[in-house]
Amino acid sequence: MKNSVQLANRFREVLLDGKWVANTNYKELLSEIGWQQATKRVTTLNTIAAITAHINYYLEGVLNVFEGGNLEIHDKYSFDFPPLQSEEAWNELRSRLFANAENFAVHIESHSDTDLDEIFVDPKYGTYARNIEGMIEHCYYHLGQISLLNKLTQE
């Protein structure tokens, strides 16, 4: 199996359909959470909605590069979103996240092993493989936070 297919499968596991590492994934967990719970604040922690928007922000930014564009995302803006004001806005955010995740996985699969070893945008960011693996790790990190927030915000 090509390395890109293995990476795409790992990526799909955390976002769309796996249970191997965390016994859940974004799609399963977020599908059970409504807007009120997603926007409920626990002390000074980020909300579930904010973390979801944060992950989607990075997916959209890297997808832009995969599709031939520039890397235009910045860490300092990665939580800079207006609060969600409705269930419809929450549903739209989840739908965008899941669509972007599948698109991202398809792009991963399209890379050859040689492509994965190429520099991602700038040498300071390392290779495509490093950035894809970093995205997977980043997603798992925040999935853990969402899982805890889910337990803390249930009524």
Side-chain angles (χ1 to χ4, degrees), residues 7 62 65-66 69 111 114-121 125-134:
L7 282 172
V62 175
V65 174
F66 285 171
H111 285 78
T114 304
D115 292 340
L116 291 174
D117 290 332
E118 295 293 321
I119 296 297
F120 181 82
V121 180
Y125 299 126
T127 64
Y128 274 81
R130 180 175 187 257
N131 280 269
I132 293 166
E133 290 167 352

Side-chain angles (χ1 to χ4, degrees), residues 16-141:
L16 300 171
D17 60 17
K19 291 189 173 219
W20 184 59
V21 173
N23 201 36
T24 191
N25 58 69
Y26 278 79
K27 190 169 192 174
E28 179 179 69
L29 184 57
L30 294 178
S31 294
E32 300 170 356
I33 296 172
W35 164 64
Q36 295 287 349
Q37 184 182 0
T39 57
K40 188 173 186 179
R41 183 156 301 279
V42 176
T43 65
T44 60
L45 302 176
N46 287 310
T47 65
I48 292 169
I51 296 168
T52 303
H54 170 80
I55 290 296
N56 192 59
Y57 175 81
Y58 279 102
L59 288 179
E60 288 179 344
V62 175
L63 272 171
N64 191 52
V65 174
F66 285 171
E67 294 171 353
N70 295 321
L71 184 62
E72 299 172 345
I73 55 176
H74 301 281
D75 291 344
K76 66 181 177 180
Y77 301 125
S78 68
F79 278 102
D80 193 15
F81 308 103
L84 295 180
Q85 300 296 323
S86 67
E87 189 77 36
E88 293 76 25
W90 172 235
N91 291 337
E92 171 61 26
L93 174 59
R94 289 184 297 186
S95 293
R96 277 190 18 238
L97 175 72
F98 304 145
N100 284 332
E102 181 54 35
N103 191 14
F104 196 95
V106 168
H107 277 284
I108 295 170
E109 289 171 332
S110 73
H111 285 78
S112 69
D113 287 351
T114 304
D115 292 340
L116 291 174
D117 290 332
E118 295 293 321
I119 296 297
F120 181 82
V121 180
D122 186 298
K124 69 182 178 184
Y125 299 126
T127 64
Y128 274 81
R130 180 175 187 257
N131 280 269
I132 293 166
E133 290 167 352
M135 183 69 77
I136 293 166
E137 293 167 9
H138 185 220
C139 288
Y140 272 116
Y141 170 79

